[in-house]
Amino acid sequence: IVTKPSTNNIDIIRLVSWRWRRTSDDIKQAWKSKACEVNELPILGTFTLTPSLITKDTVLDMLTQEHYRFISSINNVLKSNQSVTDSVQEKKFGKEIVVLGSQVYY
């Protein structure tokens, strides 16, 4: 049984807004200072420089190869004649794992 939650996002936003308006200026300034520090940190997953071996052509070639591998995986899942009701195939794209499922309906 799923019950309706007692609060929703609007109630939470209103409460936080109300609390923020009543917060002292010292605490607000401390939060703003901390936010500035966090905003100065480098963004995770971005590169500030690339090795000289990596050119636009090599990146384009890698993306093209990965695209063809992905399309091939999708086509294999769609074309295969599975003898089981549910079949799952996992593919890795870098560190990300994508689960490709194929269902056969009788």
Side-chain angles (χ1 to χ4, degrees):
I1 297 174
V2 178
T3 60
K4 184 178 178 183
S6 59
T7 60
N8 58 33
N9 289 340
I10 292 184
D11 292 335
I12 294 169
I13 291 169
R14 285 179 183 155
L15 177 63
V16 170
S17 175
W18 179 81
R19 291 294 303 252
W20 181 254
R21 287 191 307 268
R22 283 154 182 73
T23 301
S24 70
D25 289 336
D26 293 340
I27 293 176
K28 285 182 183 179
Q29 188 57 45
W31 275 100
K32 289 177 183 178
S33 297
K34 193 64 176 174
C36 288
E37 288 177 27
V38 171
N39 288 336
E40 292 297 318
L41 295 173
I43 299 171
L44 297 177
T46 60
F47 298 98
T48 55
L49 57 103
T50 57
S52 59
L53 292 172
I54 298 178
T55 63
K56 288 182 181 181
D57 292 335
T58 57
V59 171
L60 182 61
D61 187 44
M62 288 186 296
L63 289 173
T64 302
Q65 289 178 17
E66 196 62 38
H67 172 75
Y68 285 132
R69 270 187 253 150
F70 178 75
I71 295 299
S72 175
S73 297
I74 295 294
N75 285 336
N76 288 339
V77 168
L78 295 174
K79 291 179 183 177
S80 64
N81 292 326
Q82 302 289 333
S83 60
V84 295
T85 303
D86 291 315
S87 175
V88 175
Q89 183 180 14
E90 287 185 354
K91 289 292 178 184
K92 279 188 159 185
F93 301 99
K95 291 184 178 181
E96 188 172 346
I97 298 174
V98 178
V99 178
L100 304 172
S102 172
Q103 294 181 346
V104 179
Y105 300 99
Y106 297 103

